[in-house]
Amino acid sequence: MYEILNKEVLAQGTVVLNEISAPRIAGKAKPGQFVILKANETGERVPLTMADSDPKRGTITIIYQVVGKSTHMFADMPVGASYQDVIGPLGKATHLEKVGRVACVGGGTGVAVLHPITRGMKEAGNEVIAIIGARNKDLLILEDKMRAASHVLKVCTDDGSYGHHGFVTDVLKGYLTGPEKVDLVVGIGPVPMMKFLTKLTKEYGVKTMVSLNPIMVDGTGMCGCCRVTVGGKTQFACVDGPEFDGHTVDFDELTQRLAAYREDEAKSWARYKEECACRTR
Amino acid sequence: MSDKPVDKPKKDKVPRQAMPEQEPQVRARNFEEVPLGLSAESAVLEASRCLQCKKPSCVEGCPVNVQIPEFIKCMAEGDFLGGIRQIWQRNSLPAVCGRVCPQEAQCEGSCVLGKKDAPVAIGNLERFAADWARKGGTAELPPKAPPTGKKVAVVGAGPASLTVAGDLILRGHEVTMFEAFHRPGGVLVYGIPEFRLPKEIVFSEVNFLERLGVKLECNTVVGRSITVDELFEEGFDAIFVAVGAGLPKFLGIPGENYIGVYSANEYLTRSNLMKAYLFPKYDTPVVIGKQVVVLGGGNVAMDSARTALRLGADQVHIVYRRSRDEMPARAAEVHHAEEEGVKFQFLTAPTKFIADDKGRVTAMECQRMELGEPDASGRRRPVIIKGSEFILDCDLAVIAVGAGPNPLLTSSTPGIALNKWGYIDADPKTGKTALKGVWAGGDIVTGSATVILAMGAGRLAANSIHDYLMRGW
């Protein structure tokens, strides 16, 4: 069993942080890698890229947006409760090396995944510009941590309630057209964001890494559920990724595949809400 | 003549006892096991058919050499405890083997009675003995040798690993089994459906090993969570690797990534391991197809087709590019599938998938084939008939054309030698790999094969590991 040692509710309850006891995983985890979590006997296997790991404490940290049954079930677990299964670390770690000037761009809960990569890029000796965004101020997460992990932090909100009024791509464009060259962009966030971000950086010929989050089952390359088309070839995000060269990813296919179980997910979520209502009544 | 009966009441008067089964129309819509099991009376009758050959060819036909005449003799006398004890000497997973072994190609295929009449139903008897023991016939455990102080890591928890774990724990070694999934059993749990092998049986077999002292660590992906080298650093003296052939093969045709096109591994894992057939009670969903196509002609294709029926399909087509004679599936599986209403399209190959604007598969384009000259495998090579394209409507397609070696462990284990296909190069007699202290067996050595062959490899490796631990490499 994998006990929840610490829990924080972020972004007005829509995003939750769990620090989970998992010594074997914590000892191995590197930025960019993910775990698969299963809450209980009947639960599904949910892949989440780790937001942090602490080998000394033997813990890993995940930050997730609460959207459907599984994530609500996760969010409903108090400190002291345990996940039945946590598997990892899975996927390839981010390739952290000194390339010069790196822009780390994150949207929504993607910022959680971006944070350890940003930190790693800075530790590797890069000049790191971080650009993070959310729909509004209340939904913005990890601002302080991202500021500490980078040299410059820019914040944007879609509604202008905080920082720059507009999208992260607008701010990034300023750097791409600026006098100093950007050597690498790391972009992590919702699929539409990554799609437009890579379109932009392609125009300027700047290499861009993205971290993909397709639906998975085993996470070890056994089932092919997470297949994505990259450079015209089928790749398994769980073992070949989750990070890929963003300029070669077929985001439209990824969007379609992410919607594969939308009706089932809605049914599950409705059923869970009903069960919870029964319990509190 | 060696095959002379030992004593002869009129044995030829007893016909082979039929296995009672659920009616095809009923079972095609539920996940309950298809064969219901022999009654005690018919088990004794069936056992009485055995001629007790002095040189039993059935034993030679068995990859783990179960002492078949000895166990059947006990069964004929109604001594079921004696029967299961005889089996346990050579086979730690009889409830599984009695259900999934290709007996017609092994023990029963070698039975002398089969020359003129039906062979003794060895598989059904093995199943009966194991079920009898599991259902409370006996709680006894086999005796264990005194502790040797040696530690063995077994990587994977499928049939090869379960055999190695069982053999070595009885010889006094400490055994820890590492499983990547959240449940042990390997293909027995994620691959073979409930209606063919109830999961309760697999867990009971694993529980038997745990009662013997085998430690089990699930959720541990060797190659990621820990490497083979680190297992040695943790103090293991020997490592057995049996991680299976867990890399799905796709066809490489257009449209393969549409929604509703699955690898058989994914389709079966969702249904079996994750229990998607019980959605929404279990949270993992699976696409429910009304018009289903399954590509391939092996047991996995049969399992996928029969699963689709049970999940509510109106029509299921198995599409296979060769003819019926070349199908690698076990005869009983093909028979069961046909009885349940699965249709076969032989000499047919897919060329592309077609989808709607949401990317959901709606049809598959196929073309007809004819058999040409034999290929390297000795089977006649299917050749395309030009202009024979046609469309098969489908809202679910399952690709069951085989699997390859998963590189997760092998790529993180420097020095382990692989063959040109990426399978581990291991000595067929001992399971020894190129790395000192590391053995391998099962599908990661042979490519996709059967449960019992994996168990046979496990048995040989266990003997070699024991020898090494007691005497050195």
Side-chain angles (χ1 to χ4, degrees):
Chain A
M1 299 292 265
Y2 303 81
E3 191 182 344
I4 300 173
L5 300 181
N6 184 20
K7 178 179 172 179
E8 284 173 41
V9 177
L10 317 170
Q12 291 190 317
T14 63
V15 175
V16 174
L17 175 152
N18 279 168
E19 187 186 7
I20 304 164
S21 168
R24 212 190 264 283
I25 303 173
K28 294 285 259 185
K30 297 206 169 60
Q33 288 189 300
F34 68 95
V35 288
I36 283 187
L37 304 103
K38 188 167 173 288
N40 58 20
E41 187 52 39
T42 55
E44 41 175 0
R45 292 167 66 99
V46 179
L48 284 173
T49 304
M50 284 175 275
D52 214 342
S53 59
D54 185 339
K56 285 202 196 85
R57 278 171 60 82
T59 62
I60 58 162
T61 300
I62 51 162
I63 296 179
Y64 51 91
Q65 194 171 4
V66 184
V67 282
K69 175 177 175 180
S70 291
T71 43
H72 271 98
M73 206 158 62
F74 289 1
D76 286 347
M77 292 198 286
V79 170
S82 292
Y83 286 87
Q84 184 172 297
D85 301 289
V86 181
I87 302 104
L90 299 169
K92 288 184 179 161
T94 308
H95 190 61
L96 295 169
E97 61 170 347
K98 187 173 176 180
V99 293
R101 203 158 178 249
V102 179
C104 293
V105 187
T109 43
V111 176
V113 176
L114 188 66
H115 171 245
I117 296 169
T118 309
R119 195 174 53 195
M121 284 292 179
K122 192 179 174 187
E123 282 165 7
N126 293 292
E127 185 198 341
V128 179
I129 302 148
I131 306 167
I132 59 171
R135 284 207 309 278
N136 60 50
K137 187 181 182 223
D138 293 329
L139 297 180
L140 192 75
I141 59 167
L142 304 184
E143 185 187 351
D144 294 343
K145 285 195 163 182
M146 283 301 289
R147 182 164 289 119
S150 59
H151 294 96
V152 180
L153 176 75
K154 299 284 177 187
V155 178
C156 6
T157 50
D158 297 0
D159 68 351
S161 53
Y162 188 60
H164 170 82
H165 184 176
F167 298 129
V168 286
T169 39
D170 306 338
V171 179
L172 177 65
K173 193 171 177 178
Y175 282 97
L176 294 176
T177 53
E180 281 182 79
K181 188 167 153 258
V182 175
D183 298 289
L184 174 71
V185 173
V186 181
I188 305 175
V191 176
M193 181 209 111
M194 292 193 285
K195 183 181 166 180
F196 289 110
L197 178 103
T198 51
K199 208 175 148 196
L200 176 72
T201 59
K202 198 170 185 178
E203 279 172 36
Y204 292 91
V206 181
K207 190 180 172 193
T208 303
M209 299 304 295
V210 293
S211 180
L212 306 184
N213 59 337
I215 301 172
M216 292 186 186
V217 182
D218 67 290
T220 62
M222 202 208 81
C223 80
C225 172
C226 65
R227 58 198 191 275
V228 287
T229 301
V230 181
K233 277 199 210 134
T234 293
Q235 302 265 285
F236 293 178
C238 67
V239 287
D240 301 320
E243 287 175 22
F244 293 101
D245 174 355
H247 293 157
T248 58
V249 171
D250 184 342
F251 286 105
D252 294 335
E253 181 187 272
L254 176 63
T255 305
Q256 280 191 335
R257 287 186 64 81
L258 280 167
Y261 300 100
R262 200 134 290 168
E263 280 174 33
D264 291 321
E265 287 159 4
K267 195 193 274 182
S268 251
W269 171 216
R271 197 169 178 268
Y272 184 67
K273 272 191 284 192
E274 225 168 76
E275 282 170 7
C276 292
C278 289
R279 261 184 273 139
T280 51
R281 212 175 281 154
Chain B
M1 207 176 97
S2 63
D3 293 334
K4 219 166 135 185
V6 180
D7 51 27
K8 28 176 141 177
K10 286 178 185 166
K11 285 174 179 169
D12 50 352
K13 295 292 180 204
V14 180
R16 178 171 160 126
Q17 299 295 295
M19 172 63 94
E21 292 178 345
Q22 280 197 74
E23 286 300 316
Q25 291 76 16
V26 177
R27 72 185 193 230
R29 298 295 170 192
N30 70 43
F31 276 85
E32 310 281 313
E33 198 176 5
V34 170
L36 302 169
L38 296 176
S39 66
E41 294 73 34
S42 54
V44 172
L45 264 181
E46 181 61 32
S48 75
R49 296 178 64 230
C50 175
L51 299 177
Q52 293 292 317
C53 302
K54 287 221 180 67
K55 280 188 188 162
S57 47
C58 52
V59 178
E60 285 163 35
C62 172
V64 296
N65 305 121
V66 167
Q67 299 299 297
I68 294 165
E70 286 83 349
F71 112 72
I72 292 189
K73 185 162 187 286
C74 294
M75 302 299 287
E77 290 162 359
D79 175 13
F80 302 144
L81 179 60
I84 192 65
R85 279 180 179 153
Q86 286 288 348
I87 297 172
W88 275 339
Q89 285 187 15
R90 296 293 172 92
N91 184 347
S92 45
L93 304 171
V96 173
C97 291
R99 287 170 166 84
V100 303
C101 268
Q103 287 96 1
E104 74 266 22
Q106 296 174 353
C107 54
E108 294 184 24
S110 315
C111 176
V112 173
L113 273 187
K115 285 177 185 163
K116 283 185 178 165
D117 188 8
V120 175
I122 301 167
N124 291 346
L125 287 172
E126 181 182 35
R127 174 191 154 130
F128 176 86
D131 288 356
W132 174 86
R134 191 181 72 255
K135 287 174 185 159
T138 175
E140 76 175 37
L141 292 174
K144 265 168 80 171
T148 62
K150 303 287 185 185
K151 285 173 70 181
V152 182
V154 175
V155 182
S161 295
L162 296 174
T163 303
V164 168
D167 282 9
L168 293 181
I169 197 85
L170 290 180
R171 290 178 181 181
H173 309 299
E174 264 185 54
V175 180
T176 306
M177 217 163 22
F178 294 92
E179 165 59 40
F181 268 129
H182 55 276
R183 276 290 174 100
V187 73
L188 306 176
V189 167
Y190 75 74
I192 302 177
E194 183 76 17
F195 54 84
R196 203 146 78 76
L197 178 63
K199 299 312 140 212
E200 177 217 326
I201 288 169
V202 182
F203 298 137
S204 144
E205 304 266 32
V206 174
N207 180 259
F208 178 76
L209 295 180
E210 288 187 290
R211 276 160 51 217
L212 283 168
V214 173
K215 287 182 213 141
L216 176 64
E217 282 201 38
C218 288
N219 298 327
T220 310
V221 186
V222 176
R224 289 275 199 235
S225 316
I226 188 166
T227 63
V228 167
D229 285 344
E230 287 163 342
L231 286 172
F232 281 124
E233 285 164 25
E234 284 199 3
F236 288 100
D237 301 294
I239 298 171
F240 177 69
V241 174
V243 293
L247 188 74
K249 278 191 187 149
F250 285 92
L251 298 161
I253 60 173
E256 215 162 15
N257 293 349
Y258 286 140
I259 299 166
V261 182
Y262 284 116
S263 74
N265 269 4
E266 181 181 356
Y267 186 63
L268 293 174
T269 300
R270 281 181 181 273
S271 180
N272 300 330
L273 177 75
M274 303 312 295
K275 302 210 180 294
Y277 69 92
L278 297 174
F279 180 87
K281 193 178 161 216
Y282 281 71
D283 295 339
T284 304
V286 66
V287 170
I288 304 297
K290 288 292 169 193
Q291 301 285 331
V292 182
V293 294
V294 176
L295 305 162
N299 288 329
V300 175
M302 304 305 138
D303 285 347
S304 303
R306 297 171 68 198
T307 296
L309 271 183
R310 284 159 174 78
L311 283 169
D314 293 332
Q315 202 163 41
V316 180
H317 285 282
I318 285 185
V319 174
Y320 182 54
R321 65 195 186 109
R322 301 179 194 247
S323 71
R324 178 183 289 270
D325 294 341
E326 283 87 14
M327 273 205 301
R330 195 173 169 241
E333 306 311 323
V334 179
H335 172 69
H336 278 148
E338 283 193 309
E339 272 188 342
E340 290 167 13
V342 172
K343 302 274 187 292
F344 289 81
Q345 296 270 354
F346 294 111
L347 291 165
T348 306
T351 52
K352 68 173 176 191
F353 294 101
I354 299 161
D356 64 14
D357 60 350
K358 293 203 172 76
R360 286 177 194 273
V361 70
T362 56
M364 183 173 83
E365 186 192 81
C366 310
Q367 55 192 4
R368 298 286 184 199
M369 317 289 280
E370 59 191 351
L371 290 180
E373 295 300 308
D375 63 12
S377 72
R379 297 184 296 182
R380 291 177 67 193
R381 188 197 305 272
V383 184
I384 297 163
I385 301 175
K386 277 190 187 142
S388 63
E389 288 81 4
F390 67 102
I391 301 284
L392 258 181
D393 285 342
C394 64
D395 51 0
L396 169 64
V398 181
I399 300 167
V401 296
N406 188 314
L408 220 47
L409 182 141
T410 52
S411 65
S412 70
T413 312
I416 199 157
L418 307 178
N419 66 19
K420 64 176 172 178
W421 298 283
Y423 294 104
I424 297 176
D425 189 12
D427 185 322
K429 289 201 180 69
T430 61
K432 280 182 177 175
T433 70
L435 279 181
K436 189 182 173 192
V438 180
W439 284 255
D443 285 1
I444 190 60
V445 172
T446 57
S448 299
T450 59
V451 170
I452 191 72
L453 281 173
M455 293 178 61
R459 169 67 35 80
L460 294 174
N463 290 339
S464 173
I465 292 168
H466 177 69
D467 200 50
Y468 165 73
L469 293 174
M470 306 315 280
R471 272 183 284 271
W473 187 254

